[in-house]
Amino acid sequence: MEERLLFFYFLCSKSGLLLHAMYHTDFFSSPIEYLKGVGPQRAELLKKEAGIFTFGDLLSYFPFRYVDRTKFYKIREVTADLPYVQVRGKLVSIVVVGEKRSKRLVGKLQDESGALELVWFAGIKWLKDSLQLNKEYIIFGRVTEYKGRYNMPHPEMELAEEADKQVASSLQAVYNTSEKLKSRGLDSRGMLRLQKTLQQQLPHIPEVLSNEIIDGLRLMPRHEAYVNVHLPESNEKLQKATFRLKFEEFFFLQLKLLINKVIRTEKFNGKKFEKVGTYFNQFYKEKLPFPLTEAQKRVIREIRNDCGSGKQMNRLLQGDVGSGKTVVALLSMLIAIDNGYQACLMAPTEILATQHGETISEMLKGMDVNVALLTGSTKKSQRKIIHDELQNGNINILIGTHALIEDNVQFKNLGISVIDEQHRFGVQQRARLWSKSQEGRGEAAVNVLVMTATPIPRTLAMTLYGDLDVSVIDELPPGRKPIKTEHRTDSHRLAVWGFLKNQIKEGRQIYIVYPLIEESAKLDLKNLEAGYAAICHDFPMPEYKVSIVHGKMKAKDKEFEMQRFVRGETNIMVATTVIEVGVNVPNASVMVIESAERFGLSQLHQLRGRVGRGASQSYCILITKDGLGKDSYQRIKTMCSTNDGFKIAEVDLQLRGAGDIEGTQQSGNLDLKIANLARDGSILQAARDVAMKTLDEDPHLQKTENLMINKKVSTIMRGEFQWGRVG
Ligand code: ADP
Ligand code: MG
């Protein structure tokens, strides 16, 4: 039936009949080539370049900004400092100059105040044929300065007489397009033309939210919002339209996440930790080396509540480097043991796992708890013993690397899995661990606590981990001396070296880190090796001992060098970012970061977290070249002004946008069409609140007033949303 309908469409559009509006859902899923003014070639481009396959996709292809159409600049007023400007003038000449790769089309636009040069490097033939000499145009673009002269590269051109015909409001939508689209006439204005064509045939866009939500937040009706976001009638309506659409986008995303959570809690019972017993209490009273911070106490309460509920715990624990997550993990594991369960703690590297093993065994000294360490380098014979002891329940706590998730590791009665520095694990490893924790075979699922030292802004956490419960340790243990961070340029290196020598004299150890970024890995390695040679020269043996660690080394050699530094046998560790994760060398007090402008903010913060773990004052020195770009400067300045990981994460989000934040790439949840995590935090919060309230009152969305929401969310969850997102 559907195929026949499509064929029918095909005939209709071929013969110029437009009957699309007859079937609403089919309207939105109509292939884009059937829109007047598109055709097969442009359709191919729209699909490839903009992901627009259907009418619905086009409708959801939102503008990224708006210009005030009533505002025109005189050519004399235009400078390179201005953002996009609109100019009205006559196209008085148009010529192709240069050859082959330097070939370009140069035009001249004139108004009563002067003339402006226009340049195109692509789509020359098409433009040359379609632009009309000596006609008046309204052009839109950004002016650049080249050899003291202004010109406007790739302006968007609209015949003034065409523009004057339209009685739209003063606000005009601006769309992102690509060079290829532009060369086919689909620049921003071309896109707007398509939108107008579409809107002329637009059937009523059905509502998807309940009246209660719409009235409660005084949302603009959906149909009106889709019209106004492309063709705003007024500024006020535009604001309401974007709010409505952003809210809707966040709302369904949150609803999806929360529904997953509901499903999970209904489906999986969790191992229930009914009581807090002697292990926990004895440790708390006799062994705990320091009083817990308020934040640590709060988080432990949250974990106890989760694990005592009989529902599986799925909790993310965020806490800055050094905030004391390890002891929280340990206390949680002790509760498991109190209830007759085993516990495991997984770390991303061997060094980290070994350190956890040592710290935890040390803290548990004198208690009747059996701790074992399992990593890639555990001997076969030892491994066999561990496997047996796990199965007969003699081992209470197993600590290790991802060797823990291998199939032959079987617990007698695992109650909780703690995963440290989770952002370091690949998606697949994580998935295996989840499945291990839910292997159940009808039993209750293992509780999961995931810990990360990469603070992410609230909006991002809600979006990435909206289906988990999130705890935050937002307080450092008392008495820490904040790390002093300073910015130095290459020319200060001598002074920096002098400072390092003093620190070494006082018995401190030092990290010097070089960037290693994939695309230029070879060059980076050369830099690292040159740097290492220079450092060995400036810090000669036998007075100084220098270690080197980088990603291209064999794991064994890396481990060996690391251990030498950990044991204090070397003064300086020259390294790439391999040292980023969790290593604890309390005696290390200086972190020098070379070419710091090439690191991202979260990476800089992570690196800095390697120092400041002991009693002495610690320092972070960021060395950069002279003359930094705006964003690099902002990053360095942020690092020097705060040690607060959450503040840093917030700046990172503002500077880079959500998609570029470390560890977020795989998440489809960030694929937002109109809302923006960096800017729309309050809308997101509102959407999450409303989504929670909706599910609280009606967990399965069965009530009549939620029927539309139910329908929409089912479509989303079936993954069918490419088909007419709007319908
Ligand atoms: P992270 O959150 O980075 O994993 P750790 O758990 O390694 O932090 O803790 C960092 C250091 O702080 C450790 O040496 C630990 O013993 C210490 N520490 C943790 N909690 C407290 C506390 N409440 N008071 C004092 N020191 C603490
Ligand atoms: Mg840690």
Side-chain angles (χ1 to χ4, degrees):
M1 173 65 197
E2 261 182 20
E3 259 168 45
R4 286 219 329 254
L5 245 174
L6 264 180
F7 185 61
F8 178 62
Y9 268 154
F10 183 71
L11 288 180
C12 292
S13 56
K14 278 283 163 191
S15 57
L17 283 166
L18 283 166
L19 292 178
H20 298 295
M22 277 177 62
Y23 299 96
H24 291 182
T25 46
D26 294 313
F27 177 85
F28 298 113
S29 52
S30 305
I32 194 67
E33 45 266 57
Y34 297 157
L35 188 70
K36 192 168 153 261
V38 176
Q41 281 177 339
R42 282 176 159 188
E44 273 315 300
L45 275 182
L46 284 168
K47 288 175 199 172
K48 268 203 204 109
E49 300 279 306
I52 299 173
F53 289 79
T54 63
F55 287 14
D57 290 339
L58 181 62
L59 203 55
S60 297
Y61 194 78
F62 297 113
F64 76 104
R65 63 201 299 274
Y66 298 84
V67 279
D68 187 345
R69 281 177 57 96
T70 54
K71 173 85 186 145
F72 289 98
Y73 280 85
K74 292 269 169 274
I75 287 176
R76 185 172 30 79
E77 301 168 337
V78 172
T79 69
D81 305 326
L82 289 170
Y84 287 85
V85 293
Q86 197 168 239
V87 179
R88 190 179 178 124
K90 197 195 264 181
L91 187 65
V92 292
S93 82
I94 181 149
V95 282
V96 179
V97 297
E99 276 187 62
K100 290 195 179 134
R101 299 187 78 198
S102 67
K103 188 168 162 181
R104 59 199 187 275
L105 184 67
V106 178
K108 194 167 161 192
L109 191 85
Q110 201 155 37
D111 70 1
E112 65 277 11
S113 76
L116 178 66
E117 192 176 284
L118 317 174
V119 200
W120 293 269
F121 303 98
I124 295 177
K125 188 177 175 317
W126 188 86
L127 282 157
K128 181 123 179 47
D129 293 345
S130 58
L131 288 174
Q132 301 178 35
L133 207 56
N134 292 320
K135 287 268 190 163
E136 203 174 2
Y137 275 91
I138 290 172
I139 72 162
F140 173 72
R142 195 167 192 159
V143 166
T144 55
E145 195 177 341
Y146 182 69
K147 290 188 177 160
R149 274 174 55 196
Y150 290 132
N151 69 42
M152 189 182 278
H154 284 262
E156 305 203 343
M157 310 287 289
E158 189 178 24
L159 275 173
E161 61 192 48
E162 292 287 324
D164 292 341
K165 270 193 238 158
Q166 291 154 12
V167 278
S169 78
S170 63
L171 287 168
Q172 179 173 295
V174 182
Y175 299 87
N176 265 326
T177 72
S178 68
E179 285 307 324
K180 282 200 181 129
L181 284 167
K182 281 179 191 163
S183 71
R184 284 266 164 199
L186 289 176
D187 55 10
S188 173
R189 288 197 181 168
M191 286 297 217
L192 185 59
R193 270 194 296 278
L194 294 187
Q195 293 290 356
K196 283 178 185 162
T197 311
L198 188 71
Q199 300 254 354
Q200 278 162 10
Q201 325 160 22
L202 197 65
H204 180 74
I205 301 174
E207 192 47 76
V208 289
L209 297 173
S210 64
N211 285 336
E212 192 191 333
I213 295 175
I214 293 172
D215 296 346
L217 287 156
R218 281 194 238 138
L219 295 177
M220 180 181 264
R222 194 160 185 248
H223 181 88
E224 208 182 334
Y226 269 104
V227 172
N228 271 280
V229 76
H230 294 294
L231 305 169
E233 283 167 43
S234 68
N235 194 17
E236 196 195 337
K237 287 209 167 179
L238 174 61
Q239 298 310 321
K240 294 204 109 183
T242 49
F243 183 90
R244 149 81 209 209
L245 294 170
K246 286 174 177 182
F247 178 86
E248 181 182 317
E249 185 166 43
F250 278 142
F251 176 77
F252 282 103
L253 178 59
Q254 288 302 320
L255 206 59
K256 185 181 86 174
L257 290 163
L258 293 166
I259 287 172
N260 280 335
K261 193 169 148 187
V262 171
I263 293 173
R264 211 178 43 219
T265 34
E266 285 179 353
K267 202 159 144 201
F268 300 108
N269 282 324
K271 306 273 183 183
K272 192 169 177 184
F273 304 166
E274 313 224 350
K275 57 172 189 220
V276 168
T278 41
Y279 285 104
F280 182 96
N281 287 328
Q282 189 195 354
F283 179 80
Y284 203 93
K285 285 189 197 121
E286 296 168 20
K287 304 285 175 187
L288 197 61
F290 36 67
L292 294 181
T293 62
E294 284 310 310
Q296 284 170 320
K297 285 186 200 162
R298 186 186 66 234
V299 171
I300 288 165
R301 266 199 307 275
E302 287 165 350
I303 293 169
R304 264 172 61 179
N305 283 341
D306 284 3
C307 294
S309 73
K311 298 290 167 203
Q312 185 196 23
M313 171 171 77
N314 265 296
R315 189 167 279 279
L316 175 76
L317 171 55
Q318 283 196 69
D320 217 340
V321 276
S323 61
K325 293 185 292 295
T326 317
V327 71
V328 171
L330 176 55
L331 283 160
S332 315
M333 295 195 288
L334 289 174
I335 304 177
I337 300 171
D338 273 334
N339 289 273
Y341 290 106
Q342 293 165 298
C344 77
L345 169 59
M346 181 162 91
T349 65
E350 192 146 345
I351 297 175
L352 205 56
T354 312
Q355 276 198 346
H356 277 323
E358 285 165 5
T359 332
I360 286 177
S361 303
E362 180 65 31
M363 285 203 266
L364 291 175
K365 224 181 217 162
M367 280 179 68
D368 179 25
V369 180
N370 202 349
V371 181
L373 182 70
L374 180 68
T375 69
S377 53
T378 305
K379 297 239 165 52
K380 227 178 164 180
S381 51
Q382 181 63 20
R383 200 173 278 259
K384 175 86 180 64
I385 300 175
I386 292 179
H387 288 169
D388 292 346
E389 300 271 278
L390 274 176
Q391 273 186 346
N392 67 25
N394 276 349
I395 292 174
N396 303 112
I397 296 179
L398 180 66
I399 297 172
T401 53
H402 41 262
L404 292 191
I405 47 176
E406 275 157 22
D407 292 334
N408 50 11
V409 179
Q410 301 282 346
F411 292 83
K412 182 181 179 206
N413 197 2
L414 184 64
I416 186 170
S417 286
V418 184
I419 308 161
D420 195 16
E421 311 288 356
Q422 70 91 33
H423 66 287
R424 285 278 131 185
F425 285 103
V427 175
Q428 272 187 347
Q429 285 169 334
R430 221 178 296 165
R432 283 186 66 186
L433 196 93
W434 287 110
S435 66
K436 201 169 190 80
S437 70
Q438 301 186 337
E439 251 160 22
R441 291 170 296 264
E443 297 167 28
V446 170
N447 295 303
V448 178
L449 177 66
V450 171
M451 309 199 292
T452 174
T454 307
I456 53 175
R458 263 184 63 73
T459 55
L460 204 52
M462 274 193 266
T463 313
L464 285 173
Y465 307 114
D467 53 347
L468 302 183
D469 294 301
V470 180
S471 293
V472 178
I473 304 186
D474 48 6
E475 179 187 2
L476 289 182
R480 291 270 167 84
K481 292 196 184 93
I483 301 164
K484 287 188 181 152
T485 304
E486 300 281 349
H487 175 208
R488 295 285 181 269
T489 59
D490 286 321
S491 44
H492 294 102
R493 197 175 306 271
L494 225 60
V496 174
W497 275 193
F499 174 74
L500 298 186
K501 285 184 175 168
N502 276 331
Q503 287 283 308
I504 294 173
K505 212 176 273 166
E506 288 176 24
R508 303 280 95 79
Q509 287 168 285
I510 285 152
Y511 293 104
I512 303 180
V513 177
Y514 286 81
L516 192 65
I517 298 162
E518 281 309 319
E519 308 97 69
S520 53
K522 264 203 188 121
L523 189 72
D524 283 328
L525 199 58
K526 242 171 85 189
N527 287 341
L528 174 75
E529 277 164 358
Y532 176 61
I535 288 161
C536 289
H537 179 268
D538 295 339
F539 296 82
M541 295 261 271
E543 199 179 348
Y544 302 100
K545 291 180 199 68
V546 185
S547 290
I548 182 167
V549 169
H550 59 77
K552 291 272 182 302
M553 279 163 80
K554 289 212 186 76
K556 243 173 121 188
D557 299 340
K558 225 165 28 186
E559 193 73 21
F560 176 77
E561 283 288 302
M562 266 314 216
Q563 289 301 348
R564 279 198 331 143
F565 187 69
V566 171
R567 287 195 298 263
E569 291 165 18
T570 54
N571 313 106
I572 300 178
M573 163 66 77
V574 177
T576 57
T577 47
V578 287
I579 59 140
E580 193 186 321
V581 169
V583 187
N584 194 21
V585 184
N587 191 45
S589 67
V590 188
M591 168 63 64
V592 179
I593 304 177
E594 293 277 358
S595 303
E597 73 273 15
R598 291 180 54 192
F599 289 88
L601 258 178
S602 76
Q603 227 178 357
L604 288 173
H605 180 65
Q606 286 285 313
L607 286 169
R608 178 167 61 183
R610 299 305 102 220
V611 297
R613 311 192 138 220
S616 48
Q617 174 65 54
S618 290
Y619 304 88
C620 175
I621 302 171
L622 305 172
I623 301 185
T624 71
K625 60 179 186 188
D626 288 294
L628 292 178
K630 203 172 119 225
D631 279 8
S632 323
Y633 178 73
Q634 183 73 35
R635 286 200 295 274
I636 304 291
K637 209 178 88 183
T638 306
M639 284 296 293
C640 294
S641 65
T642 181
N643 279 308
D644 181 335
F646 283 95
K647 270 191 202 150
I648 288 170
E650 200 62 60
V651 176
D652 203 22
L653 178 62
Q654 302 295 338
L655 283 179
R656 289 200 297 172
D660 287 328
I661 303 277
E662 191 186 358
T664 61
Q665 277 79 359
Q666 300 92 345
S667 175
N669 291 351
L670 296 175
D671 200 12
L672 298 166
K673 291 196 134 320
I674 186 163
N676 178 315
L677 288 173
R679 289 197 294 269
D680 302 323
S682 61
I683 307 179
L684 171 57
Q685 185 65 60
R688 185 169 172 88
D689 291 347
V690 174
M692 273 171 138
K693 183 161 169 278
T694 308
L695 284 182
D696 272 352
E697 291 167 3
D698 185 13
H700 298 107
L701 301 173
Q702 296 298 317
K703 292 187 181 163
T704 328
E705 65 262 33
N706 290 333
L707 228 53
M708 279 180 302
I709 297 178
N710 186 331
K711 201 170 145 224
K712 176 84 182 166
V713 88
S714 322
T715 322
I716 293 173
M717 295 186 85
R718 278 201 306 270
E720 287 179 9
F721 49 106
Q722 297 93 324
W723 276 89
R725 282 186 194 88
V726 181

